[in-house]
Amino acid sequence: MTRHFMRDTPLYQMEQMMMTPPHFKPRGHGLRRSGFRYQAKDVDCEYCMNYSRRNLCPLDQCICLGERIETGALSLEELLRDCLNSKPKMSLWRRLAQLLYQQSLQFFRTDEHRRRWMHWRTRYHRLSQRNQAALFLLTAYDDIWRRVIWKVEDNGFDFDSVRLAGIQPELYSVYQAAKAISIGSQNITIADLASRELVTDEAFQLIICALLLAKYGNAISNLERKGDS
């Protein structure tokens, strides 16, 4: 807040002091970073202003989602159940168990994938959350991205002009999943995801990450950092 109600009055200096964040140092003293880290008990629902013992949370998305993921208050399993409408089919859930119990979540396929997604997400900063998730998939592989790179706009993708002739078969599911997330089509189904013949293990993990990203936004990157710690 840059304006003060008590400006040009005897109380101005007191108001300025009261509005200064704790431990704040004026310019010229270097950058100060707080070492505080949330713990699971700090983000318990009972501390939320929307909390009620009698009623379910009225929010579509938790306002402390990033902090709750980072502290482990929300597990990957809980997020997946919520993202996939609570009751994914048994065939899909068996495959999801590999993500949950056999390995930590790897959000990006490679360092190049990370750099590419972050660069183009910044360039097209008006992309919706769903389209950012689609961009996450489309930037994962060179063979897909070179076909799509000039088909990106601030409001989405021109999928109709993308040519897929000669694309590697194992990448087809990634492209179709990106299109489905972006425009809400049924190009790829739950049954497709459950099939290892149609969706490789690597593609499966990327698609699951994209689905989480489409629903929860950048907060899910905390899951990867948690796995690396």
Side-chain angles (χ1 to χ4, degrees), residues 109-135:
R109 177 173 168 262
T110 62
D111 289 338
E112 175 61 25
H113 178 203
R114 183 191 300 271
R115 288 191 295 269
R116 184 185 289 161
W117 180 68
M118 294 182 70
H119 169 78
W120 290 95
R121 184 192 62 173
T122 301
R123 179 167 178 175
Y124 293 99
H125 61 279
R126 295 181 181 178
L127 285 174
S128 67
Q129 192 164 289
R130 294 183 65 87
N131 279 324
Q132 286 187 28
L135 182 68

Side-chain angles (χ1 to χ4, degrees), residues 66-83:
E67 291 83 358
R68 296 188 73 197
I69 294 175
E70 184 176 3
T71 61
L74 283 179
S75 66
L76 175 58
E77 180 176 352
E78 290 175 303
L79 288 172
L80 286 172
R81 288 189 182 276
D82 179 61
C83 183

Side-chain angles (χ1 to χ4, degrees), residues 3-72:
R3 301 184 66 88
H4 296 78
F5 291 104
M6 299 299 177
R7 192 181 183 89
D8 300 324
T9 72
L11 297 176
Y12 170 67
Q13 198 168 30
M14 181 178 292
E15 182 189 30
Q16 189 178 38
M17 183 175 62
M18 292 176 65
M19 294 177 63
T20 301
H23 310 298
F24 174 80
K25 287 189 176 182
R27 291 182 180 179
H29 291 272
L31 184 64
R32 186 181 182 88
R33 296 184 181 275
S34 172
F36 176 78
R37 295 181 66 87
Y38 285 101
Q39 297 180 7
K41 63 181 181 180
D42 299 321
V43 292
D44 193 281
C45 288
E46 67 179 65
Y47 299 121
C48 179
M49 66 179 66
N50 297 286
Y51 176 75
S52 171
R53 291 183 182 275
R54 297 183 178 180
N55 302 313
L56 296 175
C57 180
L59 302 178
D60 293 331
Q61 181 171 308
C62 176
I63 58 177
C64 299
L65 183 65
E67 291 83 358
R68 296 188 73 197
I69 294 175
E70 184 176 3
T71 61

Side-chain angles (χ1 to χ4, degrees), residues 141-144 147 164 166-173:
Y141 296 93
D142 293 341
D143 193 25
I144 296 178
R147 301 167 187 267
L164 297 179
I167 193 172
Q168 300 173 51
E170 60 269 25
L171 303 186
Y172 187 74
S173 61

Side-chain angles (χ1 to χ4, degrees), residues 82-123:
D82 179 61
C83 183
L84 300 172
N85 298 321
S86 300
K87 295 180 180 180
K89 293 182 179 180
M90 185 57 65
S91 57
L92 176 60
W93 194 249
R94 282 196 295 267
R95 194 168 191 190
L96 286 170
Q98 180 180 355
L99 286 181
L100 295 173
Y101 307 121
Q102 297 181 17
Q103 60 187 42
S104 60
L105 182 69
Q106 184 178 348
F107 192 60
F108 292 95
R109 177 173 168 262
T110 62
D111 289 338
E112 175 61 25
H113 178 203
R114 183 191 300 271
R115 288 191 295 269
R116 184 185 289 161
W117 180 68
M118 294 182 70
H119 169 78
W120 290 95
R121 184 192 62 173
T122 301
R123 179 167 178 175

